[in-house]
Amino acid sequence: MHITLMMAAAASLSWSDLPPELLGLLKRLPSLADRVRLRAVCQPWHSNARLQSLPPPLPWLTLLDGTFLSIPDDSWLFLMQIDGGCSLMNPFSKATLDLPNLAALWCSDWCNEGAGFNPLFYKLVVPSPLDSSPESLVAVLILDDGRFGTVCICHPPVATNFTLGKRAESTLYLVDVAFFNGKLYGLDFRNKLVIFEIGYDLGSKPKISATECIINSGDLWDLPHSLSTEDVYPLKEYLVECCGKLLRVVRFIHRPSSTSFSIKHDRTVAFDVIEADLSTNPGQWRWINKLDGQALFVGRHCSKSFAAEQYNGIQEDCIYFMSDYDWPDCVADPLGDSGVYNLRNGSVTPLLSQTATVPQHHGGQWRPTWFFPAGSIV
């Protein structure tokens, strides 16, 4: 009889009858998707969850099918339509901003120059979050497989085009761009760091007026001591803002000599982190061996730093990386060369646990990317 009464009482309870203190579990959920599911249980939980002070959610890793990529300093997606039209969309607020047809813009700069390559890569950066500054500039680096590049400045919601291409910048072969302290910087694969001067014409439209080399080529080709000089190590490089510093992150990838023309067996084995010391004129590169409690998430489409103590599951002084190889090299195994590099001891661990299901990639011309979701959803 007693057991029957207990079962009847339990059956009469609903999720809303559970104590609100259980919402403290939100602090233990690093995934934004899990937080949303918890809030969706019932209205009381949804209302109380909005009052919780939560650490930011972990970034998502998106495997692209040619549909979107993200901006590192925003929760915005870059969308490209079949007809070439481009726009930015915040998936949480549903706000949208129109951009120029970037493929047509690239073609107008390069097709008449005889470049003969197709644009394969877009990197979008902003000087300030679009949610708080909807009229902020958007800079776009467009690269093809021959490293010919165009830098485009857009000023949403007006879809204006102002570019810096081959004719204005014939000596630069850019690998990355980033806004730092409100200024746009570009990294040349020959170790140069340049600053792009952005001005306005009489119609108050933005334009790129000039570039200035602020750090010349330096002796940065030395391998880390842990690597053999007899092996081949292709490089990937990223620009990342971290705690008021502009960092150049160099990724060393081991390629077995027997597969010198294939990346199937390429594996990342080391990173160098080099600070752009802008206190001197000209500036200089300075190696660093710690991130002061930060963690870096690097990728060709977007990179970002985080204070590790604010996130559940993120390790400090570590670099999280993905298989951001050129399409179609990453199609068969999109997470083949992804992982976590510990800057303190040089170890590399898998990005996903051994028991995690590796998602399959089904085409698309762009690389995987990080997406940094908003801290909360109403």
Side-chain angles (χ1 to χ4, degrees), residues 5-56:
L5 290 175
M6 291 179 60
M7 293 178 62
S12 65
L13 293 176
S14 67
W15 283 104
S16 61
D17 295 320
L18 294 176
E21 291 77 14
L22 286 179
L23 289 178
L25 291 173
L26 281 171
K27 295 182 180 295
R28 299 178 179 271
L29 297 174
S31 167
L32 179 61
D34 289 338
R35 296 180 186 182
V36 172
R37 294 186 186 103
L38 192 62
R39 294 170 183 174
V41 168
C42 59
Q43 183 58 42
W45 279 36
H46 178 82
S47 300
N48 290 330
R50 295 178 61 185
L51 304 177
Q52 294 285 322
S53 176
L54 303 175

Side-chain angles (χ1 to χ4, degrees), residues 19 48 55 62 79 103 112 122 155 192 206 255 259 267 364:
N48 290 330
T62 65
L79 307 178
N112 293 332
Y122 296 88
H155 201 172
K192 294 180 179 180
R255 176 169 297 172
T259 60
R267 289 297 179 266

Side-chain angles (χ1 to χ4, degrees), residues 188-192 217-224 229 233 235 237 248 250 252 272 274 287:
D188 182 277
F189 86 100
R190 294 166 298 184
N191 303 324
K192 294 180 179 180
S217 302
D219 187 15
L220 298 180
W221 299 107
D222 291 339
L223 292 174
T229 57
Y233 297 98
L235 303 180
E237 300 178 83
R248 176 181 185 174
V250 184
F252 295 87
D272 268 348
I274 311 168
W287 273 262

Side-chain angles (χ1 to χ4, degrees), residues 86-98:
C86 301
S87 62
L88 298 174
M89 184 190 77
N90 187 311
F92 306 114
S93 68
K94 307 304 181 184
T96 60
L97 295 172
D98 291 331

Side-chain angles (χ1 to χ4, degrees), residues 1-218:
M1 182 67 174
H2 180 65
I3 295 177
T4 302
L5 290 175
M6 291 179 60
M7 293 178 62
S12 65
L13 293 176
S14 67
W15 283 104
S16 61
D17 295 320
L18 294 176
E21 291 77 14
L22 286 179
L23 289 178
L25 291 173
L26 281 171
K27 295 182 180 295
R28 299 178 179 271
L29 297 174
S31 167
L32 179 61
D34 289 338
R35 296 180 186 182
V36 172
R37 294 186 186 103
L38 192 62
R39 294 170 183 174
V41 168
C42 59
Q43 183 58 42
W45 279 36
H46 178 82
S47 300
N48 290 330
R50 295 178 61 185
L51 304 177
Q52 294 285 322
S53 176
L54 303 175
L58 291 177
W60 297 345
L61 177 60
T62 65
L63 303 177
L64 302 179
D65 60 359
T67 304
F68 68 84
L69 56 91
S70 64
I71 301 180
D73 294 320
D74 271 281
S75 296
W76 289 70
L77 301 178
F78 168 61
L79 307 178
M80 178 173 285
Q81 288 73 39
I82 296 178
D83 62 1
C86 301
S87 62
L88 298 174
M89 184 190 77
N90 187 311
F92 306 114
S93 68
K94 307 304 181 184
T96 60
L97 295 172
D98 291 331
L99 295 177
N101 185 318
L102 298 176
L105 175 63
W106 175 89
C107 188
S108 67
D109 265 7
W110 293 106
C111 288
N112 293 332
E113 298 287 337
F117 298 99
N118 294 318
L120 295 177
F121 168 71
Y122 296 88
K123 168 71 178 288
L124 284 77
V125 292
V126 292
S128 57
L130 292 175
D131 287 319
S132 59
S133 303
E135 296 184 356
S136 178
L137 295 174
V138 176
V140 186
L141 171 63
I142 309 174
L143 290 178
D144 64 17
D145 51 3
R147 287 201 186 277
F148 293 108
T150 294
V151 178
C152 170
I153 295 293
C154 311
H155 201 172
V158 179
T160 54
N161 308 336
F162 294 90
T163 64
L164 185 66
K166 181 179 179 181
R167 289 176 293 277
E169 192 211 1
S170 59
T171 60
L172 294 179
Y173 296 87
L174 298 174
V175 296
D176 206 355
V177 293
F179 273 105
F180 176 66
N181 290 338
K183 298 180 180 180
L184 182 63
Y185 292 84
L187 178 63
D188 182 277
F189 86 100
R190 294 166 298 184
N191 303 324
K192 294 180 179 180
L193 183 69
V194 299
I195 183 171
F196 296 89
E197 299 292 343
I198 301 175
Y200 291 85
D201 61 16
L202 295 178
S204 297
K205 294 182 179 181
K207 64 178 181 179
I208 303 176
S209 58
T211 61
E212 177 186 359
C213 182
I214 57 175
I215 299 184
N216 290 314
S217 302

